[in-house]
Amino acid sequence: MEIFILVVTLVFELAIAVYSLVTKQIRSKIKSWTRIALFIGFMMLILGKVIVWEYTWGLFAGLLFILAFKEMVALLRKQTHTPRYKAFSTVWKFLLLALSVVVTLVPVLLFPQYRLPQVTGPYAVATATYSYVDKNRIEEFTDQDDHRSVNVEFWYPEQADGTYPLLVFSHGAFGIKTSNTSTFTELASHGYVVVSIDHPYHSFYTVSEDGKVVTVNPEYLQDFSNANIKGVYPLGKFFELNQKWMKLRTDDMNFVIDTILEQAEQKKDSVYERIDTQKIGVFGHSMGGSASVALSRERDDIDAVVNIDAPFYSELVYDKVTNELTAKSEAFTIPLLNVYSDDVWIQLDSSSSYLPYIANRIANKSFKGAYNVHFKGAKHLSLTDLPLFSPILANLLQGGKANIDKYYAIETQNELILRFFDYALKNQGQFAPKATY
């Protein structure tokens, strides 16, 4: 619809310009009525809900209104003189107006309207946001002696008829806590309390309860970019950075879980009253998936893990003498579901030389009990909601368009994660996923 609106508007403006060049007229009733009709037609599409009104349409709607208002004034005003016709002026005005149309439609093209993924559970879902301040940690990304503050958002059954397992999510390298909102909503609708964490200075941006905005740290962003380009950093530096990032992530997750468990005991809030503190699962996308696997090694109260397209950084060992990375040999005994895109799946063969995925290899006996699922045709961000609300950004960030239907990918993944947690945390049914979807 967004592209259609763009093309129609440009075609009409081009027709107006051509008509002006052919007739050698600057002002004409045809031009005036055409622009008025464009605005009226746009408003009818909104009123008819063919276009779902969002703030992203604001600039374009404002442009159409200004053009229509200007032409209405021109129709009502008596002309005392006829402006002198200039072909160059007509062409220049068309080009300027065409550019204005494109610019005002950029927000809509970047964030087009889309349908929400299917929610299949019986519970209506409510949300809540909180900011937790860790009195035991000083923020390492600032020069001030501020305590680290972590922002979280909950998705939970609005009407409770008992308590529900707690699921803790960690976003990707520079993602945001709402990166997998469709997943959280689907899980909550089936009786889970889901909390997603914004890792300050790792997340693209985060907003605290008092309105403070924190954006991604430029040095971290640069280090992460360099670490993912072979040969930029020595292997030792690469290992050191990833272990540093894992510690920050797991410290945040530990702090959030401990805070929630403490609040759940006191039952001070309707969100915490709904939590079954004896059943905890963790999951995450990309670096968040890595942190989830790492955290499950640290805590004995985590009962299930879902890793979405991430390497097991915490399972790597670096030998300074030989300058090599190897995988730990300790058996992983917690139920684990690995969901992989094409981008990662090709790294899991034993012949792959990409070192971060050594521990993920299917042949790794320490993870022989893990469930491994491959979404054929998917790219890294296909396993988040980003391709739904901004296909252009998703394609740009992941280096191209995925060869899988975006709704099939996210809805099937949501179903798998739900079935896995049902099996691992609620002892409901069996879990036997296909190897490839």
Side-chain angles (χ1 to χ4, degrees), residues 125-128 152-157 164-170 177 180-181 183-197 260 271 275 281 283 421:
V125 177
T127 62
V152 302
E153 185 164 356
F154 285 88
W155 285 257
Y156 60 95
Y164 311 97
L166 173 67
L167 302 178
V168 183
F169 182 86
S170 175
K177 65 179 183 290
N180 284 66
T181 296
T183 312
F184 311 150
T185 306
E186 174 68 356
L187 290 167
S189 77
H190 282 272
Y192 289 92
V193 176
V194 184
V195 60
S196 184
I197 303 170
I260 291 173
V271 176
I275 297 173
F283 64 132
F421 281 132

Side-chain angles (χ1 to χ4, degrees), residues 214-247:
V214 173
T215 56
V216 65
N217 178 265
E219 292 181 8
Y220 159 72
L221 189 58
Q222 186 63 56
D223 278 339
F224 177 82
S225 299
N226 290 339
N228 282 275
I229 301 175
K230 294 180 181 180
V232 174
Y233 286 146
L235 192 57
K237 174 70 171 178
F238 170 84
F239 177 79
E240 177 186 330
L241 283 172
N242 281 292
Q243 298 310 305
K244 175 184 176 181
W245 297 333
M246 285 299 96
K247 186 177 188 316

Side-chain angles (χ1 to χ4, degrees), residues 22-77:
V22 172
T23 61
K24 296 183 179 181
Q25 295 180 22
I26 292 179
R27 291 180 180 175
S28 71
K29 290 185 177 181
I30 291 179
K31 180 181 75 171
S32 297
W33 284 114
T34 298
R35 286 180 173 169
I36 293 171
L38 276 173
F39 176 71
I40 293 174
F42 178 72
M43 295 306 298
M44 290 179 65
L45 289 175
I46 292 175
L47 294 174
K49 297 185 179 180
V50 176
I51 293 176
V52 179
W53 175 257
E54 297 285 351
Y55 70 91
T56 50
W57 284 104
L59 290 176
F60 180 70
L63 176 64
L64 291 186
F65 173 77
I66 291 172
L67 293 174
F69 181 77
K70 179 181 176 182
E71 297 303 333
M72 288 180 66
V73 172
L75 287 172
L76 295 172
R77 187 174 57 190

Side-chain angles (χ1 to χ4, degrees), residues 282 289-299 302-307 312 314-315 328-338 359 364-371 420:
V282 292
S290 302
S292 297
V293 173
L295 187 70
S296 67
R297 290 288 203 186
E298 297 179 13
R299 300 180 68 102
I302 292 176
D303 304 303
V305 184
V306 176
N307 163 43
F312 300 155
S314 60
E315 302 299 312
K328 294 178 181 178
S329 57
E330 180 184 355
F332 193 89
T333 58
I334 302 171
L336 170 65
L337 169 62
N338 295 309
N364 186 348
K365 294 181 180 179
S366 297
F367 289 86
K368 62 182 180 180
Y371 299 95
F420 172 74

Side-chain angles (χ1 to χ4, degrees), residues 255-273:
F255 166 61
V256 167
I257 292 175
D258 290 342
T259 300
I260 291 173
L261 295 181
E262 181 181 339
Q263 293 294 322
E265 287 182 6
Q266 299 175 9
K267 299 185 184 299
K268 291 183 176 180
D269 188 283
S270 59
V271 176
Y272 304 115
E273 290 177 350

